[in-house]
């Protein structure tokens, strides 16, 4: 249409010039050379041409106005079309981002399915969520509610792709808000949010926090933890981010619950249900590994075999319930005496217990065994309003001095135990 208007304007201008100029040139030349009286005709021709010129000038003005209107309409349509195209591209980019995000959620779900322990699961969850929202200035914190106290405790934390150690182990006021309200929290700018005191965001954990998003980890109607991200930059998170974080938290909550159940099942498989001590099979397996480690490091490993004296008589006199109470009491005292990191205690069978002590000489092992024997000897157990007493006999052997094989160490300690029983019980003997 615009090209047609331009051609019309060009044709009108050319015709106007031809009608106006060419007759004047011809009449002027003829009048000057032949007939001066012909100037009257020129005058009449000028009047005619002027009228014709006025007519074409108005026509030209109309066509010019139409052209301007058409041009404005064209530009408006072009702007609308450009805006629509831009919106379409924004929609396409948003869809692409969602495809990438949901692809990462799929990877998160697959990796969580391959994680069995709490430690492995929490590390996987924080690492993969950081891939979704990652930036070197973003900090991610995973809190889990402690089963004994019900308080929040940090299970995993990282800044960027590096693990960090934070001071606020039980969370700050943002985390307490989420725990209290059991709902997601988005603070785009902590400086402008009326719900929280911006000054505390600087001082409580020593970090500058300008934007926060946090969601509870839910199993049904029960919250088992909180997944939180914060940044030192304002307006870093928005509503679309928190929806994605909530989806990741749902996947993480299921994986954490499965890991907790898995660890409970493992504990049941390796611990005695009555005393809570390790079972013999697992104890001996660990003992073999510890002997190899001490051999590499050039240290010593002490092994104690402990037997309750006259326990059958005790059971016959007071009943098996009383015997269970005695076994639990002894197990608690063993844990109190030998429960340092690296050591291990087990219920070896019936009324027998076994202990290995990491990096411990024979002299030190005998000394500790004597301390435990005396402690048991003085421990009164009240049954049916009657104060009863028990004693123990202990055999001690040490790796590698008494043997390089696990069975040799056990046999030496067992022989020392029978030696103690032969001496009248309630004593300690070593191999």
């Amino acid at each position: 249409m615009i090209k047609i208007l331009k051609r019309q304007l060009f044709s009108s201008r050319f015709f106007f010039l031809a009608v106006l100029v060419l007759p004047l040139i011809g009449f002027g030349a003829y009048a000057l050379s032949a007939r001066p009286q012909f100037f009257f005709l020129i005058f009449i021709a000028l009047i005619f041409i002027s009228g014709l010129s006025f007519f074409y000038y108005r026509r030209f003005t109309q066509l010019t106005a139409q052209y301007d209107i058409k041009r404005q309409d064209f530009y408006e349509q072009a702007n609308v079309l450009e805006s629509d195209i831009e919106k379409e591209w924004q929609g396409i980019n948003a869809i692409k981002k969602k495809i990438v995000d949901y692809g990462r959620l799929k990877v998160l779900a697959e990796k969580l399915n391959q994680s069995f322990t709490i430690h492995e699961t929490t590390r996987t969850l924080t690492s993969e969520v950081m891939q979704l929202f990652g930036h070197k200035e973003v900090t991610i914190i995973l809190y889990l509610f402690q089963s004994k106290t019900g308080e929040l405790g940090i299970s995993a934390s990282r800044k960027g792709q590096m693990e960090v150690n934070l001071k606020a182990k039980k969370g700050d006021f943002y985390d307490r808000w989420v725990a209290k309200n059991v709902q997601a929290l988005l603070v785009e700018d902590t400086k402008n949010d009326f719900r929280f005191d911006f000054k505390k965001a600087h001082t409580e954990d020593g970090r500058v926090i300008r934007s926060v998003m946090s969601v509870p980890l839910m199993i049904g109607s029960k919250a088992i933890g909180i997944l939180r991200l914060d940044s030192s930059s304002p307006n870093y998170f928005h509503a679309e981010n928190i929806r994605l974080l909530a989806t990741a938290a749902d996947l993480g909550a299921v994986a954490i619950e499965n890991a907790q159940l898995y660890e409970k099942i493992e504990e049941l498989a390796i611990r005695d249900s009555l005393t809570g001590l390790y079972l013999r099979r697992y104890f001996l397996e660990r003992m073999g590994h510890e002997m190899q480690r001490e051999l590499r490091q050039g240290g010593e490993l002490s092994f104690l075999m402990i037997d309750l004296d006259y326990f059958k008589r005790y059971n016959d006199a007071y009943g098996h319930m009383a015997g269970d109470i005695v076994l639990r009491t002894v197990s608690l005292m063993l844990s109190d005496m030998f429960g340092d990191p690296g050591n291990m205690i087990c219920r070896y069978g019936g009324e027998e217990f076994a202990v290995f002590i990491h990096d411990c000489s024979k002299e030190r092992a005998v000394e500790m065994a004597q301390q435990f024997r005396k402690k048991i000897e003085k421990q009164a157990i009240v049954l049916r309003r009657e104060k009863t007493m028990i004693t123990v006999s202990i055999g001690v052997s040490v790796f590698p001095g008494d043997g390089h094989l696990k069975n040799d160490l056990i046999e030496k300690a067992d022989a020392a135990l029978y030696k103690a029983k032969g001496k009248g019980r309630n004593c300690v003997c070593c191999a």
Side-chain angles (χ1 to χ4, degrees), residues 37-64:
Q37 64 270 21
F38 198 70
F39 278 104
F40 176 74
L41 295 175
I42 294 176
F43 175 73
I44 294 174
L46 285 174
I47 292 175
F48 173 76
I49 290 172
S50 297
L52 191 63
S53 299
F54 178 73
F55 169 77
Y56 276 104
Y57 173 76
R58 290 190 61 186
R59 181 62 178 165
F60 172 76
T61 304
Q62 290 174 356
L63 291 174
T64 302

Side-chain angles (χ1 to χ4, degrees), residues 69-312:
I69 292 172
K70 293 293 183 182
R71 184 178 60 179
Q72 290 176 4
D73 290 342
F74 170 77
Y75 285 135
E76 288 178 1
Q77 292 175 4
N79 290 334
V80 171
L81 184 60
E82 185 178 354
S83 177
D84 291 341
I85 292 172
E86 185 177 354
K87 289 180 180 178
E88 290 293 331
W89 274 114
Q90 289 175 353
I92 291 170
N93 291 331
I95 292 172
K96 286 182 179 179
K97 186 178 183 303
K98 285 184 178 180
I99 292 172
V100 171
D101 290 341
Y102 286 116
R104 288 175 176 170
L105 286 175
K106 180 177 180 291
V107 172
L108 170 62
E110 291 172 349
K111 290 187 176 182
L112 287 175
N113 285 335
Q114 298 170 4
S115 303
F116 297 102
T117 66
I118 292 293
H119 179 68
E120 186 181 1
T121 301
T122 55
R123 288 189 65 184
T124 300
L125 178 60
T126 53
S127 177
E128 292 303 315
V129 170
M130 185 59 74
Q131 294 291 334
L132 290 172
F133 306 99
H135 188 273
K136 62 181 180 179
E137 297 300 323
V138 173
T139 301
I140 182 170
I141 311 170
L142 175 62
Y143 297 99
L144 294 179
F145 287 104
Q146 306 301 310
S147 57
K148 293 182 178 179
T149 63
E151 296 180 338
L152 287 174
I154 290 182
S155 182
S157 58
R158 61 176 59 234
K159 185 173 184 179
Q161 292 303 315
M162 299 294 294
E163 294 186 2
V164 293
N165 186 20
L166 302 178
K167 295 179 180 178
K169 301 295 184 184
K170 297 181 180 180
D172 57 16
F173 51 88
Y174 298 117
D175 307 308
R176 289 190 287 272
W177 188 94
V178 175
K180 179 181 178 181
N181 294 278
V182 196
Q183 66 182 46
L185 171 67
L186 174 61
V187 180
E188 295 181 349
D189 190 349
T190 56
K191 194 172 182 180
N192 299 325
D193 197 294
F194 67 91
R195 296 171 293 180
F196 305 102
D197 187 355
F198 175 67
K199 294 180 180 178
K200 290 184 179 180
H202 288 270
T203 59
E204 189 163 334
D205 197 35
R207 297 183 298 120
V208 177
I209 301 171
R210 288 297 303 274
S211 54
V212 180
M213 68 172 177
S214 183
V215 294
L217 277 68
M218 304 295 296
I219 297 295
S221 59
K222 178 186 176 183
I224 64 171
I226 293 173
L227 184 59
R228 160 184 167 167
L229 284 86
D230 61 59
S231 171
S232 58
S233 302
N235 302 308
Y236 188 85
F237 307 112
H238 49 80
E240 186 64 28
N241 292 148
I242 204 163
R243 284 192 286 270
L244 186 63
L245 182 63
T247 304
D250 290 339
L251 295 173
V254 174
I256 289 171
E257 184 188 39
N258 290 339
Q260 290 173 338
L261 292 173
Y262 177 82
E263 290 189 351
K264 286 180 181 179
I265 292 172
E266 273 203 332
E267 284 293 308
L268 291 174
I270 63 176
R271 287 189 181 273
D272 176 55
S273 60
L274 176 64
T275 63
L277 301 178
Y278 288 107
L279 294 172
R280 178 177 175 174
R281 176 185 55 81
Y282 182 70
F283 174 83
L284 294 177
E285 180 183 334
R286 281 287 304 276
M287 183 179 173
H289 295 319
E290 291 299 321
M291 290 174 68
Q292 292 176 8
R293 187 174 70 172
E294 292 296 341
L295 186 63
R296 290 193 301 269
Q297 296 179 352
E300 293 180 298
L301 180 75
S302 294
F303 179 74
L304 278 60
M305 186 74 79
I306 303 166
D307 185 74
L308 301 183
D309 297 331
Y310 304 111
F311 186 70
K312 186 176 183 303

Side-chain angles (χ1 to χ4, degrees), residues 353-364:
F353 298 88
V355 179
F356 67 70
I357 309 172
H358 173 71
D359 193 21
C360 181
S361 65
K362 181 178 286 188
E363 292 76 14
R364 176 59 181 158

